[in-house]
Amino acid sequence: MTKNVFVIGLNDMNAERLTRLRGVEDVVFHPLLTPAQVSETQDFDIPAMLAEAEGVLDSFDGSIDAIVGYIDFPVSTMLPLLCKKYGTKNASLESLLKCEHKFWSRKVMSEVIPEHIPKFTAFDPFDDNALAKIGEADLRFPFFVKPIKSSGSRLGFRIDSPEDFDYATEKLRAEIRSIGEPFDYVLSQAEMPDDIRAVEGHYCMAEQVIGGRQCTVEGYVYNGEVVPYGTVDSIRYPQVLSFFYYLYPSTLPKRVQDIMNDITRTIMTHIGYDNAGFNIEYYWDEVSNKIWLLEINTRIAQSHCDLFEMVDGVSHQQVTIDLGLGRRPDMPQGEGPQNVAGEFFYRVFFNDATVSRVPSKAEIAVAAEQVDGTRISSYVAKNSLLSELPEQDAYSFAVASVWMGASKQSKLLWNYEQVMKKLNYEFTDIVE
């Protein structure tokens, strides 16, 4: 019998990935809202998007067997509302917010894994006395600030001085309400403790600086069972906070990965998160042998889909679809054609610039042909401004992504260099 799965923000690349999953021969995938509405914009009218989605679902002449997504805010926070209304599987809104509301998340973590989280406090960026109040919470320079509802690495800043804080505050005041106001709507739909409700969507977090070797544990919860299934290394450019590439499988020692998996089971069970995928970002401080939990994301990492397919034989969208349909995920290990795989981010470190040249489709195809199985996505158009790109960190712009696999990590890096020699981007009006 045909199963109907509605995918919020479905694009062509992910529609193709979905056809290669296991056990989808009887599944029909339906797009629900467009990528332009949910990921290619900074304007999130959540009530309007929910109303449009409900209109599509209400008029559908057939069974609604699953409603899923693979995108961060606002998709992740809309899913529990839609799934509850239409009776499909997903985590509850409250358990999801215990991950996505960064202050609530840290408070919950402090109850069961206090030794794995940094000092933290919430603050209002529109409060002129915010810096003094952060000091009263026993946070000293350096510390890190980010929105209470972060999206990617957007509006995250390392603060080493009052001048850094003033710069970050200026940026936060200018841009944070684009996420804060729609997030407030989501918060209004949830049952929350009074002390958490007082920390509104435009608030920010200040946290002790933590660091080390960064990784992401991908996992899911099925009927109360927490299952970590893969760890991906997050490798940064030297001396900056921007990511250079993601590497799967992780090169961290097995004993460290085992401890991270135990922490993962503890916190996700405590939160009560169930029947949905997630990932948790960690640091391992090799010098002190300290493991820090950075944050929990209530979705699979879209960037890791091709990595799992190359190494394990199937994209971990398998997890999202199976859980949405109420099935235990059929996620293999080590059945792919490659031993290692990575996503590389080609970045430029400008404050802004105009894109004066981009590779043609033919040039991108030639570059990809340098290494079998390579896929390249270019994110910019000629004459566009880098500052128009959505979901960028505070220190660079990701111009393109390159996914590829290899027999070992050193070969993977060499392959990337060969591909990039064939890609030519140029910029004018550069703001250093």
Side-chain angles (χ1 to χ4, degrees):
M1 189 171 180
T2 298
K3 301 286 188 182
N4 295 296
V5 175
F6 289 82
V7 186
I8 301 181
L10 183 63
N11 60 18
D12 292 342
M13 179 178 66
N14 284 290
E16 181 188 6
R17 284 172 173 161
L18 293 174
T19 63
R20 301 195 296 269
L21 300 182
R22 298 180 173 201
V24 296
E25 298 81 6
D26 61 343
V27 174
V28 178
F29 295 103
H30 305 269
L32 186 63
L33 304 176
T34 66
Q37 289 174 288
V38 299
S39 62
E40 298 168 4
T41 178
Q42 301 298 324
D43 182 19
F44 303 123
D45 186 342
I46 291 183
M49 286 191 284
L50 286 170
E52 181 174 337
E54 289 169 4
V56 172
L57 294 167
D58 288 343
S59 63
F60 181 70
D61 185 19
S63 62
I64 299 170
D65 300 291
I67 306 170
V68 301
Y70 45 79
I71 301 169
D72 197 1
F73 186 83
V75 172
S76 57
T77 49
M78 291 165 61
L79 280 169
L81 299 173
L82 289 170
C83 290
K84 182 178 181 180
K85 178 172 182 177
Y86 293 94
T88 61
K89 291 285 189 179
N90 198 261
S92 69
L93 178 60
E94 286 73 21
S95 68
L96 180 137
L97 289 174
K98 288 178 184 179
C99 304
E100 294 213 6
H101 186 298
K102 299 308 177 189
F103 182 68
W104 197 2
S105 187
R106 286 301 194 205
K107 292 280 283 188
V108 171
M109 292 177 198
S110 69
E111 296 168 1
V112 290
I113 53 166
E115 67 275 22
H116 298 294
I117 64 171
K119 296 177 183 177
F120 66 94
T121 191
F123 71 93
D124 184 347
F126 295 92
D127 181 354
D128 291 335
N129 294 317
L131 184 58
K133 293 177 180 177
I134 290 170
E136 292 170 3
D138 198 26
L139 278 166
R140 302 287 183 265
F141 299 123
F143 57 86
F144 202 77
V145 300
K146 59 186 176 182
I148 207 77
K149 174 66 198 93
S150 57
S151 181
S153 300
R154 185 178 171 219
L155 296 178
F157 302 90
R158 179 187 166 104
I159 308 300
D160 290 285
S161 67
E163 291 76 19
D164 286 348
F165 188 76
D166 290 342
Y167 173 80
T169 299
E170 180 182 357
K171 293 287 188 181
L172 288 163
R173 289 178 175 180
E175 300 181 37
I176 197 168
R177 291 201 186 277
S178 65
I179 292 181
E181 289 181 358
F183 191 50
D184 275 332
Y185 173 80
V186 175
L187 297 179
S188 73
Q189 308 301 303
E191 296 183 7
M192 304 167 62
D194 289 343
D195 62 327
I196 303 301
R197 189 169 295 283
V199 180
E200 299 175 355
H202 70 274
Y203 271 59
C204 294
M205 291 287 286
E207 294 190 344
Q208 169 192 355
V209 171
I210 56 178
R213 293 173 63 180
Q214 188 172 355
C215 69
T216 300
V217 174
E218 295 280 357
Y220 64 83
V221 189
Y222 175 70
N223 289 346
E225 179 187 0
V226 182
V227 181
Y229 58 83
T231 303
V232 179
D233 288 340
S234 302
I235 299 170
R236 298 180 186 271
Y237 281 87
Q239 308 305 315
V240 294
L241 294 174
S242 302
F243 291 119
F244 176 23
Y245 65 105
Y246 298 141
L247 176 70
Y248 179 67
S250 172
T251 58
L252 293 177
K254 183 180 182 300
R255 63 176 178 83
V256 174
Q257 294 188 54
D258 288 344
I259 295 172
M260 289 177 176
N261 289 342
D262 287 342
I263 298 169
T264 296
R265 294 185 188 97
T266 297
I267 187 59
M268 299 311 289
T269 299
H270 181 65
I271 285 172
Y273 192 84
D274 202 3
N275 293 312
F278 66 87
N279 68 72
I280 303 183
E281 298 176 51
Y282 287 99
Y283 286 113
W284 175 47
D285 185 331
E286 197 168 359
V287 175
S288 63
N289 195 31
K290 178 84 170 180
I291 293 174
W292 298 103
L293 194 159
L294 178 60
E295 65 181 18
I296 306 170
N297 299 303
T298 57
R299 51 169 174 75
I300 64 164
Q302 190 180 167
S303 284
H304 300 163
C305 289
D306 287 4
L307 311 190
F308 280 97
E309 186 166 9
M310 290 175 185
V311 174
D312 291 335
V314 66
S315 162
H316 67 157
Q317 284 172 311
Q318 187 77 49
V319 168
T320 299
I321 302 306
D322 282 344
L323 289 172
L325 290 169
R327 309 188 299 209
R328 179 181 291 276
D330 182 15
M331 195 67 201
Q333 287 197 320
E335 296 183 14
Q338 306 290 353
N339 293 330
V340 300
E343 179 191 4
F344 293 85
F345 300 95
Y346 173 56
R347 296 182 181 274
V348 291
F349 294 86
F350 308 142
N351 279 334
D352 204 357
T354 300
V355 183
S356 58
R357 185 190 189 281
V358 298
S360 66
K361 288 184 178 179
E363 289 173 318
I364 291 174
V366 168
E369 288 170 358
Q370 304 307 300
V371 180
D372 287 345
T374 295
R375 186 172 64 78
I376 302 171
S377 285
S378 181
Y379 301 132
V380 294
K382 186 177 179 180
N383 298 324
S384 64
L385 287 173
L386 292 175
S387 56
E388 296 172 345
L389 286 168
E391 300 299 322
Q392 302 295 306
D393 67 34
Y395 302 97
S396 68
F397 295 96
V399 173
S401 286
V402 179
W403 289 265
M404 52 177 39
S407 58
K408 57 184 178 180
Q409 185 180 4
S410 58
K411 179 65 172 174
L412 188 69
L413 290 163
W414 188 88
N415 286 347
Y416 173 68
E417 293 297 329
Q418 307 318 302
V419 169
M420 290 311 299
K421 288 176 182 178
K422 299 291 184 180
L423 292 180
N424 182 22
Y425 290 88
E426 295 178 4
F427 305 90
T428 58
D429 305 321
I430 294 172
V431 181
E432 297 288 356

